[in-house]
Amino acid sequence: MGETQVTAQEGRSTAGPSPIVADRTAEAGWSARFRSLRTPRRPRLWFEILLIAVSYWLYSLVRNAVPEQKAAALRNADWIWSAEKTLGLAFEETVNHAVNSVTWLIVSMNYYYATLHFVVTIGVLVWLFRRHPGRYAATRLVLFATTAVALLGYYLYPLAPPRLMNGANFIDTVLVHETWGSMASGNFKNMSNQYAAMPSMHIGWSLWCGLTIFALASAPWARILGLLYPTLTLVVIVATANHFWLDAVGGMACLAFGYAVSRVWYGSLPHRLPKWVPAKSGDGKSRLTGLRAARLPRPASEPEPEPKSVRESTPEPAPEAETAGSRRP
């Protein structure tokens, strides 16, 4: 009752779906679409390249568009430096001077700071795309959410890096050694917001890389390198006087937010999602990305095929014997 609607036209009755059923059908359709958005799917190369390029362009645009609140940034730097001294953990200046005394080491760190931030992050994205397509979208969402919330930090809490503090004795290693290790030093200082040091995305991105490699890599040496990478990055950002160690804490907090967003959206942490996901091939038939590597079990409703060796070894049944009436005398 109430599931069909009967209308009379010229003495005839026609049955059609009732408004209640139609509403339920529409609601189910929207629910299915929403669930499909939250279901991991095979990434498309052209879309990912475009998405990453546009996203990084917007990130740089917004970061550099944040007003350079120099006075507030310097005040905040003085406060953080004072807070670290109170905690007995103001070691950045000591590390900066010690590493700067070894020319080859500090020059290497300048180039490390300028390049690996991008190279390793892109490398991990490519590795995920090729080897873990089912986890790619969720892990990429962690990175995007981390970066997005960092932009809010740049706007709300302008902070000068240690090398730009007034009255401090930090060394700007890029200027001293004439290397291109920072977009905020030398000839590039007008192209980048110099007072966006909190949070440190060098730490946010490197820790994202490290945790992803540690969680998904199978080789023990790769997992160890995954943990060493953010650790070495922390040493580099402090030694080059580009960040306080508290900036690294801010980067970690942003990364935790990114993992929370991905967990809520996909219902699981990225490394717990399936490694391989269904995809649509060009002929419209469903196929599995990496089927051979996944070795997925056959559905219970489908009987197990008979092994070929058994089929070949089973003798063919003998032809039926001729009946007595069919024999010739």
Side-chain angles (χ1 to χ4, degrees):
M1 300 296 291
E3 293 186 356
T4 60
Q5 183 180 16
V6 180
T7 60
Q9 294 180 352
E10 299 179 358
R12 294 176 297 176
S13 297
T14 59
S18 69
I20 296 177
V21 175
D23 291 344
R24 289 176 179 173
T25 302
E27 182 179 350
W30 282 108
S31 177
R33 292 189 185 96
F34 182 70
R35 285 197 303 269
S36 68
L37 292 175
R38 301 179 62 188
T39 302
R41 63 187 66 191
R42 184 192 178 198
R44 292 167 292 181
L45 180 60
W46 67 268
F47 177 78
E48 293 302 324
I49 293 175
L50 181 63
L51 178 64
I52 292 171
V54 172
S55 299
Y56 184 74
W57 175 74
L58 287 175
Y59 164 76
S60 299
L61 186 66
V62 173
R63 182 180 186 273
N64 297 335
V66 174
E68 288 196 359
Q69 305 175 54
K70 182 177 179 179
L74 290 173
R75 284 197 304 270
N76 289 335
D78 290 336
W79 184 89
I80 283 186
W81 187 231
S82 176
E84 290 186 355
K85 287 181 177 179
T86 302
L87 294 172
L89 296 173
F91 53 77
E92 290 92 339
E93 186 175 304
T94 301
V95 174
N96 175 235
H97 283 261
V99 178
N100 185 71
S101 63
V102 184
T103 303
W104 67 266
L105 181 58
I106 193 60
V107 169
S108 300
M109 287 189 174
N110 285 340
Y111 289 125
Y112 179 112
Y113 185 87
T115 59
L116 292 192
H117 180 52
F118 305 101
V119 173
V120 176
T121 303
I122 293 174
V124 172
L125 285 170
V126 172
W127 174 65
L128 285 169
F129 182 91
R130 292 178 57 87
R131 303 298 298 273
H132 299 268
R135 297 159 179 160
Y136 176 87
T139 313
R140 186 242 291 142
L141 179 59
V142 174
L143 183 65
F144 278 33
T146 299
T147 306
V149 76
L151 291 174
L152 187 63
Y154 299 148
Y155 183 83
L156 296 177
Y157 196 79
L159 179 67
R163 58 187 174 74
L164 293 181
M165 289 179 63
N166 293 325
N169 194 28
F170 288 97
I171 300 171
D172 191 332
T173 59
V174 172
L175 291 179
V176 170
H177 298 279
E178 299 180 347
T179 55
W180 50 275
S182 172
M183 288 293 290
S185 295
N187 297 328
F188 297 103
K189 63 183 179 181
N190 294 325
M191 298 174 58
S192 178
N193 186 352
Q194 300 185 79
Y195 304 106
M198 172 68 83
S200 169
M201 280 299 92
H202 272 75
I203 291 299
W205 289 12
S206 66
L207 188 58
W208 173 86
C209 293
L211 291 177
T212 299
I213 294 172
F214 180 78
L216 300 180
S218 56
W221 62 266
R223 302 181 71 189
I224 294 173
L225 287 179
L227 295 180
L228 287 178
Y229 174 53
T231 304
L232 183 56
T233 300
L234 176 60
V235 176
V236 168
I237 67 171
V238 170
T240 57
N242 279 293
H243 289 282
F244 297 100
W245 66 264
L246 280 176
D247 300 344
V249 175
M252 295 176 189
C254 291
L255 183 63
F257 173 82
Y259 273 108
V261 170
S262 182
R263 172 67 175 80
V264 169
W265 183 255
Y266 286 101
S268 177
L269 291 174
H271 69 278
R272 294 179 178 173
L273 293 171
K275 180 177 182 179
W276 307 104
V277 290
K280 291 290 184 179
S281 61
D283 57 2
K285 297 180 180 179
S286 177
R287 65 185 180 87
L288 282 169
T289 303
L291 179 60
R292 284 187 297 176
R295 299 187 182 276
L296 297 179
R298 185 174 299 274
S301 60
E302 184 177 344
E304 197 71 28
E306 187 179 1
K308 183 177 179 182
S309 59
V310 174
R311 291 199 305 267
E312 292 177 349
S313 61
T314 303
E316 294 291 332
E320 295 182 0
E322 295 180 292
T323 61
S326 62
R327 294 177 182 174
R328 293 184 179 178

